[in-house]
């Protein structure tokens, strides 16, 4: 797999990787063609797994390499990490505050962001799109960092990040398409709405790669920024959504740990 990616420039690598993660989102949305109902316990477990993957990716693939890179570039590692990490969280908080969206399973009176007359389906897609912005950005930054030829940024690590994010994108596509299908929307339209939430990842990925390649000094900040944005999504969205039903908390906890373990294995093995 590494040999395949090596023949492309970092921007193209980021595009290929994020097209993969979008494809997995579409695969998750495609469950509507198989079933109209997905048991809440299964969906909660899938969301817990996704949270674990994102937590592990935030540290192993983004924060730790960012700290190492800051040291290699002569920066103050802890200061770079804090500025980047908190910057990512603040960016996502502002996006969450102003972007109209509605989380799966909630009624329209619980929608967030600025007031709008947009339909429920559009708001559901925007909620998952909000998750996918930092994921695409993280992949793009990871591949862009490889072009700097610093020891802390490896192609294997970037590929591991893309695989991990791809895996956890499956339940995110399902989380959009399945509620729409239950509400009476056709299979085809439910699928299209579900996969649409992942289209932002190639855009964010290519943009992230191009940005960091043009400014090497900002690479550590960008990696830590992506980590902070992903942790925000986990704490603000994935964990609360997966634990709405109290009886599923133990299951969600274990699948979160499983997701963390899978991402850790991927990063250590490939990175």
């Amino acid at each position: 797999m590494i040999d395949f990616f090596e023949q492309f420039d970092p921007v193209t690598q980021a595009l290929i990787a994020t097209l993969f993660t979008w494809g997995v989102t579409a695969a998750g949305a495609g469950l509507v063609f198989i079933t109209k109902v997905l048991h809440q316990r299964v969906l909660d477990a899938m969301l817990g797994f996704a949270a674990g993957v994102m937590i592990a990716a935030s540290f192993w693939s983004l924060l730790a390499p960012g700290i190492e890179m800051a040291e290699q570039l002569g920066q103050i590692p802890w200061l770079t990490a804090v500025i980047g990490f908190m910057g990512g969280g603040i960016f996502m908080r502002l996006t969450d505050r102003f972007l109209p969206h509605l989380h799966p399973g909630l009624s329209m009176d619980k929608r967030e962001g600025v007031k709008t007359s947009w339909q429920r389906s559009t708001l559901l897609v925007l909620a998952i799109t909000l998750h996918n912005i930092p994921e695409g950005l993280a992949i793009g930054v990871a591949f862009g960092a490889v072009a700097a030829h610093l020891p802390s940024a490896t192609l294997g690590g970037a590929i591991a990040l893309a695989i991990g994010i791809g895996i956890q994108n499956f339940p995110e596509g399902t989380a959009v398409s399945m509620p729409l299908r239950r509400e009476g929307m056709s299979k085809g339209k439910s699928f299209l709405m579900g996969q649409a939430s992942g289209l932002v990842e190639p855009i964010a990925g290519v943009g992230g790669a191009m940005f960091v390649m043009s400014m090497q000094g900002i690479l550590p900040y960008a990696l830590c920024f992506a980590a902070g944005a992903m942790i925000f999504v986990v704490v603000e969205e994935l964990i609360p959504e997966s634990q709405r039903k109290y009886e599923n908390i133990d299951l969600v906890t274990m699948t979160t740990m499983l997701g963390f373990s899978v991402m850790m294995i991927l990063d250590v093995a490939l990175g």
Side-chain angles (χ1 to χ4, degrees):
M1 184 180 295
I2 292 178
D3 292 339
F4 169 76
F5 274 90
E6 284 179 337
Q7 61 185 310
F8 302 105
D9 63 89
V11 174
T12 305
Q13 291 171 349
L15 176 61
I16 293 171
T18 48
L19 285 174
F20 161 74
T21 59
W22 164 74
V24 180
T25 304
L31 285 183
V32 293
F33 293 112
I34 301 173
T35 179
K36 188 174 182 178
V37 178
L38 186 66
H39 197 285
Q40 188 63 42
R41 184 176 176 84
V42 175
L43 183 58
D44 289 347
M46 292 168 67
L47 290 173
F49 183 88
V53 169
M54 289 184 70
I55 294 170
S58 297
F59 177 75
W60 293 99
S61 299
L62 298 170
L63 197 57
I67 293 171
E68 290 181 29
M69 197 175 294
E71 189 171 7
Q72 291 161 4
L73 293 175
Q75 300 173 0
I76 303 174
W78 65 265
L79 182 60
T80 298
V82 168
I83 292 174
F85 186 81
M86 291 303 300
I90 292 170
F91 170 78
M92 289 306 299
R93 176 65 188 97
L94 292 174
T95 305
D96 184 71
R97 172 68 179 81
F98 294 106
L99 179 70
H101 61 283
L102 175 69
H103 298 294
L106 298 181
S107 57
M108 283 291 283
D109 63 317
K110 297 288 178 39
R111 60 182 182 264
E112 300 179 40
V114 297
K115 299 298 182 181
T116 178
S117 59
W118 292 348
Q119 294 181 347
R120 176 181 177 85
S121 58
T122 302
L123 295 175
L124 285 170
V125 171
L126 287 175
I128 305 300
T129 300
L130 185 63
H131 296 183
N132 291 337
I133 292 173
E135 295 168 10
L137 177 64
I139 293 172
V141 169
F143 279 100
V146 176
H149 303 295
L150 294 171
S152 54
T154 67
L155 183 56
I159 293 172
L161 176 63
I163 294 173
I165 288 179
I167 292 171
Q168 65 89 41
N169 270 4
F170 189 90
E172 292 188 350
T174 306
V176 174
S177 63
M178 202 62 69
L180 295 176
R181 177 62 181 146
R182 284 199 303 266
E183 291 171 7
M185 186 176 288
S186 69
K187 294 179 181 179
K189 191 171 182 180
S190 297
F191 167 75
L192 288 175
M193 298 298 285
Q195 62 82 33
S197 63
L199 287 175
V200 71
E201 291 198 7
I203 299 172
V206 169
M210 293 176 65
F211 180 71
V212 298
M213 285 178 65
S214 64
M215 301 180 65
Q216 181 173 316
I218 207 170
L219 269 172
Y221 294 99
L223 287 166
C224 296
F225 179 96
M230 287 178 65
I231 289 296
F232 179 93
V233 169
V234 171
V235 178
E236 173 80 5
E237 313 290 356
L238 290 182
I239 291 178
E241 286 177 18
S242 65
Q243 296 191 351
R244 284 206 184 101
K245 283 189 172 292
Y246 181 79
E247 59 268 25
N248 293 340
I249 288 180
D250 289 339
L251 172 64
V252 171
T253 300
M254 293 310 299
T255 56
T256 301
M257 295 184 69
L258 177 62
F260 186 99
S261 299
V262 168
M263 185 64 224
M264 181 172 59
I265 291 170
L266 282 171
D267 196 271
V268 174
L270 294 177

